[in-house]
Amino acid sequence: MTAEREAALLAEVPKQLFIGGHWVDAASGATLDVDDPATGRVIATIADAGVDDGARALDAAVAAQESWAATPPRVRGEILRGAFDLLQERKEDAALLMTVEMGKPLAEARGEVAYGGEFLRWFSEEAVRITGRYGSNPEGTGRMIVTQRPVGPAFLITPWNFPLAMATRKLAPAIAAGCTSVIKPAALTPLTTLFLVRLLEEAGLPAGVVNVITTTASGPVSGAIIADPRLRKLSFTGSTPVGVRLLKQAADNVLKTSMELGGNAPFVVFDDADLDKAVEGALQAKFRNIGQACTAANRFIVHEAVADEFGRRLAERVKAFRIGRGTEEGVTIGPLIDDKAVKKVGSLVSDAVDRGAILLAGGSAVQGEGSFFEPTVLDGVRAGSDILREEIFGPVVSIIRFTDEADAIAQANATEYGLVGYVYTQDLARGQRLIDALDTGMMGLNTGVVSNAAAPFGGVKQSGLGREGGAEGIHEYLETKYVLTPDPFA
Ligand code: NAP
């Protein structure tokens, strides 16, 4: 039954580019294959856009910009709300599609549909709350008017790890603000975006407001779009090295940019923490999405008095995880995205063990079909190990110890990243001190998950620029215009 459902769903998903309201092949006729990471098998063959297709997609976005900006906010909001409702009707299909193309267990894919869908609903509500100000200037000689207007055509680039939520987190505020866009999902997981955009089309989104290109040539295709002076906004979610390259390209046309980049989250456990809750939070912060989340806890910084016990309890829970294809009942750990990811995680674990870390659970790639890595717990990871510096992006816990609060803070902040930090303590004053002390854009205080459509998501330092979601998210797609007019009574 599941196999039949999967086949029917994969047959239904659009396989073409979406440009100016039409589903079209790449001009060259080229195609790309999408694999299931749990089996390595091809599940769909879709259009592979070239530079010309990217240019046509931007043409369509530019052509639709003026009329979309003039479309009443209520109408824009109701189209988003319609798409939210359609996604709820198709939520099981959306979840299954994500599991099949990306690998996360079905229960987590359902969670992402709920989370990702909320951006459609949230920004349907924000569309009608774009406000300005009107008032006297301090001298009393004039009236100052401040308004917000859409920045213009946007280019949205999303990663493979949260195929739905990363798309809705950008598309929904762009649509709400009155911006048209071209969206480019990762070539590894393009199907969910194609499915989502079909729902937006069904919800009544006019032609050209959203255009989709899928490509194996992301560098050249994106480079040409970013270099086009008609583009006004670039929003990127992905790795820091690619983000840095795109920022440099965006500088030439002084684009408004949003950058949601990599992380290296500290997970700090004080000796006064509720250890049961800390273990529960650690499992969520580390193993959600098989560790492939920018918000994944990367370094577990644990007080020396409780580190042994924390590691023991965590390892016990991790050994009970079930590895398998995410569609199977009871599976808690799916595959990594590809074999390259398995090799990278394996080399980080080997480096840590070679330098003296102790393996409490897992530690190896799983032999056989698919790209699986055992859920792993490493204790006593030595300073200088690669795993403490690099984003692991896999199911590996690395535990280091601290002696006092100042030491914990220093270790937590010893990274060029600053996306999120997690802190477990029952001491309220200490928790408040840590809010100020952690150099991160977000913090989970006694919780292992922070994401919410109503919250401003984003990082500091090399984790990025700007915020997505919350009241802040729509401002990434708006620019401020100020007008002065003489005081009518002067
Ligand atoms: P990535 O390699 O940087 O790719 C991200 C996106 O950029 C993909 O669509 C990719 O397309 C595209 N891309 C790659 N090279 C490009 C280039 N030269 N020009 C234009 N586009 C290019 O990152 P990833 O491996 O997909 O995603 C994992 C990373 O994303 C991690 O670092 C993670 O922390 C970060 N992330 C951050 C957030 C956040 O909100 N801060 C959220 C999720 C993920 P192709 O892959 O098709 O080339």
Side-chain angles (χ1 to χ4, degrees):
M1 184 58 200
T2 312
E4 280 165 28
R5 246 190 80 207
E6 257 180 65
L9 180 59
L10 288 169
E12 177 209 321
V13 174
K15 312 285 184 307
Q16 293 169 297
L17 313 175
F18 189 56
I19 299 179
H22 301 288
W23 293 95
V24 294
D25 289 331
S28 67
T31 56
L32 69 93
D33 288 338
V34 183
D35 297 341
D36 172 349
T39 63
R41 284 197 283 273
V42 174
I43 51 169
T45 299
I46 64 167
D48 186 358
V51 169
D52 292 354
D53 300 302
R56 281 193 296 137
L58 182 60
D59 289 345
V62 170
Q65 178 57 55
E66 198 178 324
S67 64
W68 186 241
T71 301
R74 177 68 76 199
V75 174
R76 302 198 300 251
E78 289 192 345
I79 290 173
L80 281 174
R81 177 63 207 218
F84 170 79
D85 292 338
L86 287 171
L87 182 62
Q88 301 318 302
E89 284 169 25
R90 302 292 311 271
K91 63 184 182 188
E92 281 300 309
D93 285 338
L96 180 60
L97 187 60
M98 249 191 298
T99 293
V100 171
E101 75 167 337
M102 185 271 160
K104 67 185 73 191
L106 205 44
E108 289 192 30
R110 290 188 180 113
E112 184 176 344
V113 175
Y115 169 56
E118 281 306 327
F119 290 100
L120 299 171
R121 178 154 66 174
W122 175 263
F123 286 108
S124 77
E125 294 156 349
E126 290 298 282
V128 292
R129 311 209 196 298
I130 300 167
T131 55
R133 327 198 274 278
Y134 176 81
S136 284
N137 62 0
E139 299 75 20
T141 56
R143 296 291 167 101
M144 303 168 83
I145 302 165
V146 180
T147 60
Q148 303 285 328
R149 57 182 201 170
V151 63
F155 185 34
L156 316 175
I157 304 179
T158 55
W160 50 263
N161 60 343
F162 291 100
L164 182 79
M166 297 304 98
T168 54
R169 210 164 77 174
K170 295 187 191 305
L171 282 173
I175 291 169
C179 289
T180 62
S181 63
V182 176
I183 182 165
K184 191 205 79 59
L188 290 165
T189 59
L191 304 181
T192 304
T193 300
L194 294 167
F195 180 89
L196 168 70
V197 170
R198 168 65 64 78
L199 296 186
L200 283 164
E201 186 189 11
E202 276 177 41
L205 197 71
V209 175
V210 169
N211 305 276
V212 189
I213 50 169
T214 50
T215 180
T216 51
S218 46
V221 171
S222 303
I225 293 175
I226 295 167
D228 190 312
R230 297 172 302 168
L231 187 75
R232 292 313 315 144
K233 165 81 193 178
L234 172 64
S235 178
F236 170 77
T237 296
S239 61
T240 296
V242 174
V244 168
R245 187 185 306 177
L246 295 177
L247 270 174
K248 288 179 181 161
Q249 292 174 15
D252 284 340
N253 284 327
V254 194
L255 296 184
K256 188 172 168 89
T257 55
S258 307
M259 293 280 146
E260 298 288 348
L261 308 179
N264 181 354
F267 188 104
V268 184
V269 183
F270 283 94
D271 53 349
D272 58 28
D274 178 326
L275 223 48
D276 287 334
K277 290 187 179 152
V279 168
E280 224 40 71
L283 292 168
Q284 290 182 309
K286 179 74 250 183
F287 293 99
R288 195 169 64 105
N289 224 37
I290 318 128
Q292 303 166 116
C294 53
T295 51
N298 218 55
R299 295 166 297 143
F300 289 79
I301 302 168
V302 187
H303 191 274
E304 56 189 0
V306 293
D308 284 348
E309 182 60 13
F310 178 79
R312 192 191 61 74
R313 289 197 208 176
L314 204 53
E316 200 176 297
R317 294 287 297 277
V318 163
K319 284 178 187 161
F321 279 151
R322 211 182 121 209
I323 304 175
R325 189 169 189 249
T327 48
E328 287 163 24
E329 198 63 40
V331 162
T332 42
I333 294 285
L336 294 185
I337 190 66
D338 58 17
D339 289 345
K340 215 169 88 196
V342 174
K343 281 203 189 75
K344 186 197 155 196
V345 172
S347 80
L348 290 175
V349 171
S350 308
D351 173 75
V353 171
D354 290 349
R355 290 173 194 255
I358 298 154
L359 264 178
L360 299 184
S364 306
V366 178
Q367 300 308 315
E369 191 179 64
S371 310
F372 293 91
F373 198 92
E374 292 172 342
T376 296
V377 179
L378 288 167
D379 195 5
V381 176
R382 301 293 165 88
S385 299
D386 294 345
I387 206 162
L388 301 179
R389 196 180 54 248
E390 292 183 29
E391 207 178 9
I392 304 170
F393 245 54
V396 183
V397 170
S398 52
I399 300 175
I400 52 182
R401 282 139 211 265
F402 71 88
T403 48
D404 59 27
E405 191 176 307
D407 182 22
I409 292 166
Q411 292 198 52
N413 287 337
T415 168
E416 70 268 27
Y417 293 105
L419 189 61
V420 61
Y422 304 93
V423 174
Y424 274 77
T425 177
Q426 296 195 81
D427 179 336
L428 182 59
R430 169 173 278 156
Q432 288 177 326
R433 287 195 295 276
L434 267 286
I435 292 174
D436 283 351
L438 281 195
D439 285 339
T440 57
M442 301 180 287
M443 176 172 160
L445 185 52
N446 294 317
T447 180
V449 181
V450 295
S451 303
N452 192 300
F457 189 105
V460 299
K461 302 201 286 187
Q462 292 198 26
S463 288
L465 299 168
R467 295 293 180 271
E468 291 189 321
E472 290 81 356
I474 200 163
H475 291 286
E476 301 285 321
Y477 296 89
L478 293 169
E479 58 192 3
T480 300
K481 184 160 196 175
Y482 151 67
V483 178
L484 181 67
T485 184
D487 191 289
F489 304 106

